[in-house]
Amino acid sequence: MKILGIESSCDETACAVVEDGKKILSNVVATQIPFHQIYKGVVPEIASRKHIEWVEPVVRQALSESGLSLNDIDAIAATNRPGLMGSLLVGMTFGKTLAWATGKPFIAINHMLGHMYAAHLENDIPYPYLGLLVSGGHSIIAKVNGFDDLEVLGTTIDDSVGEAFDKVAKFYGLGYPGGVIIDRLAQKGDARAAHFPVPKLDKGDHRYDVSFSGLKTAVIHQLDMFWRDGYEKTNENIAAAFQETACKTIVSRLLRAVEDTGLKTVVAGGGVAANSRLRALLAERSDLNCIFPPLKLCGDNGAMIAGVAYHFLKRGDRSGLDTVAHARIPQFKRGLANLEAFGRR
């Protein structure tokens, strides 16, 4: 089965054609970074207008590169949650209209399920495993029992890790997107330059949770308190020390989950899964099987949406053309995520 997947939850207009949930026939991503750099962050109004301008040519390009026509496509999928409402509406409305006009099934997909599936596109990964979903909007540790069955163990109690990277970069005028720039600068700095605080979330329901607002505040406003003697306060050293603390915070909570569940396979997804230090820290664990998506599939893309949609279609699931977009998903609860959080309606 060949699925056309549209992703427009934030500032990438993306479309891909994927066969049988694995074989990527095309994967087109039009990035809006140049239009948002001047503002040091994504401007929702600009994002939605660019999606309106780009969605049709991007879909046409994805079909052209796949060597297929719409007649060859078995279903249309599009992201419907979570994300910027204006951006979501463009991609989802285009997808629903395309499905209606061609008589193809329509499948609405949760963006988070897409990121968690990205590594499956190039790897055969048996369930269950521990999932690490780290992006600009989410930081989630979950036991993944199936493509749409995530047992959430921990999440952030405040900022996501990607948000912290972007805000630190914005404060120091490093540029946008912050995560990529800090990663690049950190490789020229010394992580020992500063010792930033890590919140103690060790008890009860917070055993696997993370927090980044305190770390962000320490890096931005209280730098002198944590700076070690003998180190110059350069952007490179700031980036290295901050990145080291952020990544080790995530890994420490993940390793708790490994110990408690006994699961030795860890699968990462999301934009921050491209971070070189996070990858290196997990690669050091010879006792674990750590699987990352290729860098091109860490960011937002249509292939991950089409890949997940294949499994819904194979199971016989469809989404109605009255399906709506949701900017947010309800606060994650411990245990199995409910349909309201991960559903497609």
Side-chain angles (χ1 to χ4, degrees):
M1 290 187 287
K2 301 174 183 66
I3 314 296
L4 185 146
I6 300 170
E7 156 59 31
S8 66
S9 62
C10 191
D11 62 333
E12 267 85 32
T13 310
C15 182
V17 178
V18 176
E19 183 176 357
D20 294 339
K22 294 287 286 185
K23 185 178 181 181
I24 300 175
L25 303 181
S26 65
N27 188 27
V28 179
V29 179
T31 181
Q32 299 180 14
I33 287 176
F35 300 95
H36 300 283
Q37 280 179 325
I38 189 174
Y39 304 102
K40 300 181 176 64
V42 177
V43 180
E45 178 69 11
I46 294 175
S48 60
R49 288 180 179 273
K50 284 299 172 184
H51 285 309
I52 292 171
E53 181 182 344
W54 289 354
V55 64
E56 182 182 356
V58 165
V59 170
R60 287 185 181 276
Q61 184 178 344
L63 282 169
S64 176
E65 291 186 7
S66 73
L68 303 175
S69 69
L70 272 175
N71 290 333
D72 302 312
I73 299 298
D74 294 289
I76 312 294
T79 303
N80 81 316
R81 70 177 74 189
L84 301 176
M85 181 59 82
S87 295
L88 286 169
L89 284 171
V90 175
M92 195 184 69
T93 301
F94 191 91
K96 288 197 298 184
T97 303
L98 199 60
W100 171 80
T102 59
K104 310 284 186 183
F106 174 72
I107 305 169
I109 298 295
N110 185 305
H111 182 75
M112 297 295 98
L113 294 183
H115 274 311
M116 201 68 263
Y117 186 81
H120 287 261
L121 288 163
E122 294 195 358
N123 300 274
D124 293 321
I125 310 171
Y127 297 104
Y129 57 77
L130 282 177
L132 177 64
L133 205 165
V134 278
S135 67
H138 297 272
S139 299
I140 298 171
I141 295 171
K143 180 184 176 186
V144 183
N145 301 305
F147 73 92
D148 66 339
D149 186 354
L150 276 68
E151 185 178 346
V152 178
L153 303 177
T155 184
T156 179
I157 65 171
D158 40 56
D159 295 345
S160 71
V161 60
E163 182 181 1
F165 271 89
D166 284 341
K167 287 183 176 178
V168 167
K170 182 176 181 179
F171 179 84
Y172 284 103
L174 302 179
Y176 173 83
V180 175
I181 294 169
I182 287 178
D183 193 358
R184 188 182 305 127
L185 286 174
Q187 295 176 38
K188 302 176 183 178
D190 192 330
R192 298 168 295 181
H195 178 70
F196 296 120
V198 177
K200 301 297 183 182
L201 302 173
D202 299 331
K203 298 180 180 180
D205 286 345
H206 292 297
R207 179 170 173 77
Y208 310 111
D209 286 345
V210 292
S211 170
F212 293 104
S213 65
L215 171 61
K216 176 192 66 182
T217 301
V219 176
I220 292 175
H221 297 298
Q222 304 173 37
L223 197 57
D224 290 341
M225 294 175 57
F226 307 106
W227 206 258
R228 290 191 169 113
D229 293 336
Y231 289 94
E232 187 179 356
K233 296 180 180 179
T234 64
N235 286 340
E236 290 79 4
N237 284 342
I238 292 170
F242 163 66
Q243 178 174 267
E244 186 76 7
T245 305
C247 291
K248 284 187 173 179
T249 297
I250 295 169
V251 171
S252 67
R253 301 308 189 268
L254 180 64
L255 293 180
R256 286 180 183 176
V258 168
E259 181 179 353
D260 291 349
T261 64
L263 294 172
K264 298 297 184 180
T265 297
V266 173
V267 179
V272 184
N275 181 271
S276 63
R277 186 56 184 151
L278 178 62
R279 287 178 174 239
L281 286 170
L282 288 175
E284 293 171 1
R285 300 288 306 205
S286 59
D287 57 324
L288 299 179
N289 178 27
C290 297
I291 304 172
F292 285 82
L295 295 180
K296 64 183 179 181
L297 296 179
C298 288
D300 294 349
N301 64 87
M304 66 185 190
I305 302 304
V308 174
Y310 162 78
H311 293 279
F312 281 115
L313 185 66
K314 184 179 178 182
R315 196 170 66 185
D317 287 354
R318 309 287 191 275
S319 299
L321 295 181
D322 58 348
T323 302
V324 297
H326 297 269
R328 298 181 180 272
I329 51 180
Q331 180 64 36
F332 288 106
K333 299 178 180 178
R334 300 302 180 273
L336 292 176
N338 57 33
L339 289 177
E340 191 64 28
F342 280 109
R344 294 165 293 105
R345 295 173 176 80

